[in-house]
């Protein structure tokens, strides 16, 4: 089969590699669509510590079941269309045993630590595959993974009926989070992003207000702030926008050694709550349902999928901030 192989940081190619064979508990999925995200850029740059090289990246994907190990019950027969949760948990560490699978001490993931889906085929645990309803195509299926991360983020925030919200960053995750926040009953949602075209999308999807710079918000303060950028300066800005008693979700991925300045007096005196959200936790099936019911509509975020041979072009576009979400269609 053909696949993107990252031989070492900074170097990738379209390569002919052996087709994957299913091991115990696994099925083989013919990949229809696989999304490119910031984590893939970090893997390409050698900035994602758990990744070994060479690796076939790709963790946001959907496709069709084409084979399975004899020990897998035929609940997912050949031809079943599925989205795949890339998370690989050990199940026996103290985190897994306390229900915090996403914080597993032996954490691994399809496309991050083992072969992923920028390939014609990928072998995955049957337990990680979720059936897609007929009306969701493969590109929507490839949006389940990022959406399931956003769903976990909302679980971390807790109830927010009527609360005013500011979302920093209108990339894929900011726009998915914004739609989820509105679906969950948040009050008016304000979106901040430097890119005007992204704010137009945010506006179309229901943002109450959009600004290119937080300074335009004047004295406005919010009950909830969500950072979907990971940029330390943006996180400091978001904390500055918190009202007394407010909550902040740190969703964007910052560099591991980054720091931000926070006034402990404000955290105490204004009773601020700052929570984090890491990947997917029992939120994959909910994400399928939210897409199936059109509670979240990713259409405005999507471009026409590109073939494997244009992977490099898609990466360049993502790096240049062109478009919002780019997908590869390997088959
Ligand atoms: Zn991702
Ligand atoms: Zn574990």
């Amino acid at each position: 089969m053909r696949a993107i192989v990252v031989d070492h940081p900074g170097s990738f190619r379209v390569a002919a590699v052996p087709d994957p064979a299913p091991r115990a508990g696994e099925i083989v999925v013919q990949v229809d669509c696989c999304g490119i995200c910031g984590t893939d850029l970090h893997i390409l740059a050698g900035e994602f510590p758990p990744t070994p090289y060479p690796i076939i990246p790709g963790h946001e994907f959907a496709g069709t079941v084409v084979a399975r190990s004899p020990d897998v019950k035929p609940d997912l027969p050949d031809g079943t269309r599925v989205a795949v949760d890339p998370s690989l948990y050990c199940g026996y560490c103290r985190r897994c045993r306390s229900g915090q699978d996403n914080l597993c001490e032996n954490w691994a993931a399809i496309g991050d630590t083992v072969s992923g889906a920028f390939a014609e085929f990928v072998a995955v645990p049957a337990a990680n595959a979720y059936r897609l309803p007929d009306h969701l195509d493969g590109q929507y299926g490839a949006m389940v993974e990022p959406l399931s991360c956003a769903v976990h983020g909302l679980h971390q925030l807790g109830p927010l009926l009527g609360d005013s919200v500011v979302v920093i960053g209108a990339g894929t995750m900011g726009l998915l989070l914004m739609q989820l926040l509105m679906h969950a009953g948040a009050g008016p949602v304000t979106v901040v992003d430097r890119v005007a075209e992204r704010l137009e999308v945010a506006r179309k999807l229901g943002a109450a207000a959009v600004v290119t710079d937080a300074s335009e918000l004047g004295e406005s303060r919010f009950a909830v702030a969500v950072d979907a950028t990971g940029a330390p300066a943006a996180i400091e800005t978001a904390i500055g926008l918190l009202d007394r008693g407010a909550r902040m979700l740190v969703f964007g991925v910052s560099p591991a050694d980054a720091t931000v300045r926070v006034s402990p007096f404000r955290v105490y005196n204004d009773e601020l709550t700052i929570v984090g959200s890491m990947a997917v936790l029992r939120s994959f099936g909910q994400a399928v349902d939210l897409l199936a019911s059109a509670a979240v509509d990713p259409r405005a975020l999507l471009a026409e999928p590109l073939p494997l041979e244009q992977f490099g072009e898609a990466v360049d576009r993502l790096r240049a901030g062109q478009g919002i979400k780019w997908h590869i269609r390997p088959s």
Side-chain angles (χ1 to χ4, degrees):
M1 67 168 183
R2 290 172 308 123
I4 298 296
V5 175
V6 183
D7 290 303
H8 49 82
S11 166
F12 67 86
R13 62 198 161 95
V14 181
V17 299
D19 286 358
R23 294 170 304 180
E26 287 187 341
I27 57 174
V28 175
V29 173
Q30 181 168 17
V31 180
D32 180 9
C33 238
C34 184
I36 306 181
C37 91
T39 303
D40 297 306
L41 299 186
H42 290 303
I43 289 172
L44 287 170
E47 296 164 350
F48 194 66
T51 299
Y53 297 88
I55 189 163
I56 300 172
H59 60 272
E60 303 180 355
F61 63 103
T64 304
V65 178
V66 292
R68 65 174 175 277
S69 154
D71 66 324
V72 174
K73 296 218 176 83
D75 301 331
L76 295 169
D78 289 1
T80 306
R81 296 174 55 255
V82 294
V84 179
D85 181 351
S87 318
L88 301 173
Y89 312 131
C90 76
Y92 55 77
C93 75
R94 67 196 172 105
R95 295 289 171 211
C96 284
R97 286 188 167 162
S98 65
Q100 297 171 299
D101 307 359
N102 59 328
L103 306 182
C104 172
E105 289 171 1
N106 303 299
W107 183 88
I110 299 162
D112 295 338
T113 64
V114 300
S115 291
F118 291 125
E120 290 180 83
F121 301 97
V122 60
V124 306
N128 289 45
Y130 290 70
R131 196 181 283 267
L132 278 178
D134 289 341
H135 69 283
L136 293 184
D137 68 16
Q139 196 173 18
Y140 274 52
M143 293 302 287
V144 174
E145 196 275 346
L147 181 58
S148 69
C149 294
V151 170
H152 176 51
L154 259 79
H155 287 161
Q156 291 290 90
L157 260 180
L160 34 74
L161 270 183
D163 287 340
S164 63
V165 182
V166 61
V167 176
I168 316 283
T172 300
M173 296 318 308
L175 292 170
L176 291 177
L177 284 160
M178 186 196 82
Q179 292 185 69
L180 277 183
L181 288 158
M182 294 190 306
H183 184 69
V189 179
T190 298
V191 178
V192 185
D193 196 293
R194 281 184 297 218
V195 183
E197 299 87 72
R198 293 180 170 197
L199 292 179
E200 261 169 54
V201 177
R203 176 81 87 178
K204 251 188 250 164
L205 291 171
V210 297
V211 295
T212 52
D213 193 298
S215 63
E216 296 165 51
L217 296 172
E219 297 302 304
S220 303
R221 293 295 175 265
F222 300 84
V224 173
V226 175
D227 176 71
T229 69
I235 293 168
E236 285 186 0
T237 297
I239 293 170
L241 290 170
L242 294 175
D243 204 349
R244 300 192 77 191
R247 288 170 289 163
M248 159 105 193
L249 173 64
V250 178
F251 188 92
V253 183
S254 305
D257 57 354
T259 56
V260 294
R261 287 192 313 162
V262 181
S263 155
F265 179 80
R266 276 200 67 214
V267 174
Y268 140 75
N269 190 56
D270 292 348
E271 295 194 338
L272 303 182
T273 304
I274 300 176
V275 295
S277 171
M278 191 343 240
V280 177
L281 180 62
R282 314 279 159 85
S283 50
F284 213 83
Q286 282 172 309
V288 173
D289 293 343
L290 285 160
L291 284 172
S293 67
V296 174
D297 186 351
R299 201 169 327 165
L301 286 57
L302 305 178
E304 193 57 36
L306 298 169
L308 267 186
E309 287 69 23
Q310 281 177 270
F311 178 77
E313 209 175 306
V315 165
D316 290 343
R317 290 185 195 175
L318 180 62
R319 280 199 181 116
Q322 288 171 22
I324 295 173
K325 191 69 187 178
W326 292 97
H327 285 105
I328 297 296
R329 177 157 279 159
S331 301

